[in-house]
């Protein structure tokens, strides 16, 4: 063998050794031999939980894995979110959450246990939920302008309910307070249902409520709908104007549901999760369930979710600052 032949053979041998030492993508399979945990940072029974369970069941079937739903409620959703932020970025822990912990609460809590942007990899924007401004049937108001006029004429006599401090429902009340230049009293409840009940009873003047929760009472005549927060009128209430049509600009507000993974989760895993969940959101049973919940399914790219979160972080940070909203 000539020197040239020996040199060529040596080069080939070194190349083969290098290839053998490299991890093969074919050998890196996910998921395998380990259950996936879908963390819901709220109690069972709510929209985020119902959506999460429907997606988790189908995600497990499509991936050939077990997907367990774990409800870790508390602190306006931040306890469950923090647990996912600290989890290993291996694709086996996911967060099914909403706008609150990811875009509102960070501006209310000076000492968060996680960074809402840096601690997560966006996976998919699942869907959005429009809201409706409601008053009890005994209230004299039939337009938002009439409600605002009352608040101006009798400062602090008008109160608005919400499902809790730091929720999107409270933020809409604060935004209305800012846009009308009035003083209104926020009355937080432990959940949307008791808040709606007190609006029905007249203990709170008004509230912004999820459409699905308020609609039965609106149809029965026990509540009056003054406006919806979506960009266009809703098919379920075509006679109800949008906040824009009611004279309030920049008042398009929709709660969103989304899925995240811990920061550092491999992009291939994130993309696979995105593809599977987007496909699941087209399932006829999931679509029918979402309609009942009042959720408009989206199925975005990870980048679109990141952009939505960034925009809402800035929007609600300004409202919280301008309205001087405090967590306690």
């Amino acid at each position: 063998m000539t020197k040239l032949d020996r040199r060529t053979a040596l080069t080939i041998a070194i190349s083969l050794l290098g290839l053998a030492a490299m991890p093969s993508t074919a050998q890196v399979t996910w998921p395998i031999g380990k259950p996936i945990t879908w963390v819901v940072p709220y109690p069972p029974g709510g929209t985020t939980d119902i959506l999460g369970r429907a997606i988790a069941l189908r995600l497990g079937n499509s991936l050939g894995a077990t997907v367990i739903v774990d409800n870790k409620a508390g602190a306006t959703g931040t306890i469950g979110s923090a647990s996912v932020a600290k989890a290993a970025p291996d694709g086996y822990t996911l967060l099914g959450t909403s706008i609150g912990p990811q875009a509102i609460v960070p501006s209310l809590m000076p000492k968060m246990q996680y960074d809402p942007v840096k601690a997560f990899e966006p996976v998919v924007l699942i869907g959005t939920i429009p809201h409706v401004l409601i008053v009890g049937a005994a209230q004299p108001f039939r337009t938002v302008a009439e409600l605002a006029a009352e608040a101006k004429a009798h400062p602090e006599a008008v109160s608005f309910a919400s499902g809790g401090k730091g929720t999107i429902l409270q933020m809409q009340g604060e935004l209305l307070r800012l846009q009308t230049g009035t003083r209104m009293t926020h009355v937080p409840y432990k959940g949307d249902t008791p808040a709606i009940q007190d609006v029905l009873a007249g203990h709170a003047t008004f509230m912004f409520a999820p459409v699905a929760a308020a609609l039965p009472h609106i149809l029965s005549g026990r509540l009056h709908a003054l406006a919806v927060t979506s960009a266009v009128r809703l098919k379920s209430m075509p006679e109800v104007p949008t906040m824009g049509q009611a004279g309030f600009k920049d008042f398009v507000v929709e709660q969103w549901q989304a899925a995240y993974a811990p920061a550092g989760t491999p992009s291939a895993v994130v993309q696979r999760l995105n593809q599977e969940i987007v496909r699941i959101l087209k399932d006829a049973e999931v679509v029918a369930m979402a309609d009942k919940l009042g959720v408009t399914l989206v199925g975005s790219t990870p980048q679109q979710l990141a952009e939505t979160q960034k925009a809402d972080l800035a929007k609600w940070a300004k409202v919280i600052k301008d309205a001087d909203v405090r967590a306690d």
Side-chain angles (χ1 to χ4, degrees):
M1 182 182 292
T2 65
K3 288 185 178 181
L4 181 59
D5 290 336
R6 284 197 295 270
R7 192 173 300 164
T8 301
L10 181 60
T11 300
I12 293 173
I14 292 173
S15 298
L16 290 173
L17 284 172
L19 288 171
M22 291 175 63
S24 170
T25 55
Q27 293 174 341
V28 180
T29 54
W30 172 92
I32 186 170
K34 185 178 177 181
I36 297 170
T37 300
W38 181 287
V39 175
V40 174
Y42 301 109
T47 299
T48 308
D49 178 66
I50 295 171
L51 275 175
R53 290 180 185 278
I55 293 171
L57 175 63
R58 291 163 176 79
L59 184 62
N61 292 337
S62 63
L63 293 176
T66 300
V67 181
I68 301 168
V69 176
D70 185 9
N71 295 87
K72 292 186 177 181
T76 321
T78 59
I79 291 176
S81 299
S83 71
V84 176
K86 298 172 184 176
D90 53 10
Y92 292 98
T93 306
L94 307 173
L95 176 66
T97 187
S98 70
I99 185 174
Q102 297 304 104
I104 296 173
V105 180
S107 295
L108 283 171
M109 293 185 176
K111 296 182 179 180
M112 289 281 290
Q113 298 183 54
Y114 60 90
D115 184 301
V117 175
K118 295 180 181 179
F120 302 97
E121 298 290 345
V123 175
V124 62
L125 178 61
I126 295 170
T128 59
I129 303 173
H131 296 98
V132 56
L133 196 169
I134 54 173
V135 297
Q139 298 287 353
F141 318 113
R142 294 299 177 267
T143 67
V144 186
E146 291 176 357
L147 176 64
E150 174 67 13
K152 290 179 180 179
H154 301 94
E156 299 183 3
V158 172
S159 61
F160 65 95
S162 80
K165 292 182 178 180
T167 62
I168 187 63
L169 304 186
Q170 177 194 0
M171 291 304 110
Q172 291 169 101
E174 303 292 355
L175 180 57
L176 181 62
R177 182 165 68 85
L178 285 173
Q179 289 199 3
T180 56
T182 59
R183 294 201 298 271
M184 302 175 181
T185 303
H186 173 227
V187 185
Y189 292 81
K190 292 183 178 180
D192 298 352
T193 300
I196 292 174
Q197 291 299 321
D198 261 18
V199 173
L200 282 164
H203 300 312
T205 311
F206 75 95
M207 75 175 286
F208 287 91
V211 170
L215 189 57
H217 303 297
I218 294 170
L219 295 176
S220 71
R222 298 180 65 204
L223 288 174
H224 289 301
L226 305 190
V228 292
T229 64
S230 49
V232 298
R233 295 195 183 203
L234 302 177
K235 292 180 180 178
S236 58
M237 295 182 290
E239 73 286 355
V240 180
T242 65
M243 288 293 290
Q245 292 169 337
F248 294 84
K249 296 181 179 180
D250 301 322
F251 213 112
V252 176
V253 179
E254 291 185 316
Q255 178 184 3
W256 43 261
Q257 302 282 328
Y260 291 84
T265 300
S267 59
V269 173
V270 171
Q271 289 299 326
R272 175 76 188 280
L273 284 166
N274 177 271
Q275 292 168 6
E276 295 295 344
I277 295 174
V278 168
R279 183 185 58 78
I280 288 167
L281 296 180
K282 296 176 183 177
D283 181 279
E285 290 183 358
V286 175
V287 171
M289 179 198 67
D291 285 342
K292 291 180 180 178
L293 292 171
V295 179
T296 301
L297 297 176
V298 177
S300 75
T301 64
Q303 182 59 34
Q304 288 169 332
L305 171 55
E307 291 169 357
T308 297
Q309 181 185 10
K310 181 180 178 181
D312 274 340
L313 272 166
K315 176 177 182 174
W316 297 117
K318 186 176 187 308
V319 170
I320 289 167
K321 180 181 179 181
D322 292 350
D324 192 25
V325 181
R326 312 237 175 139
D328 47 20

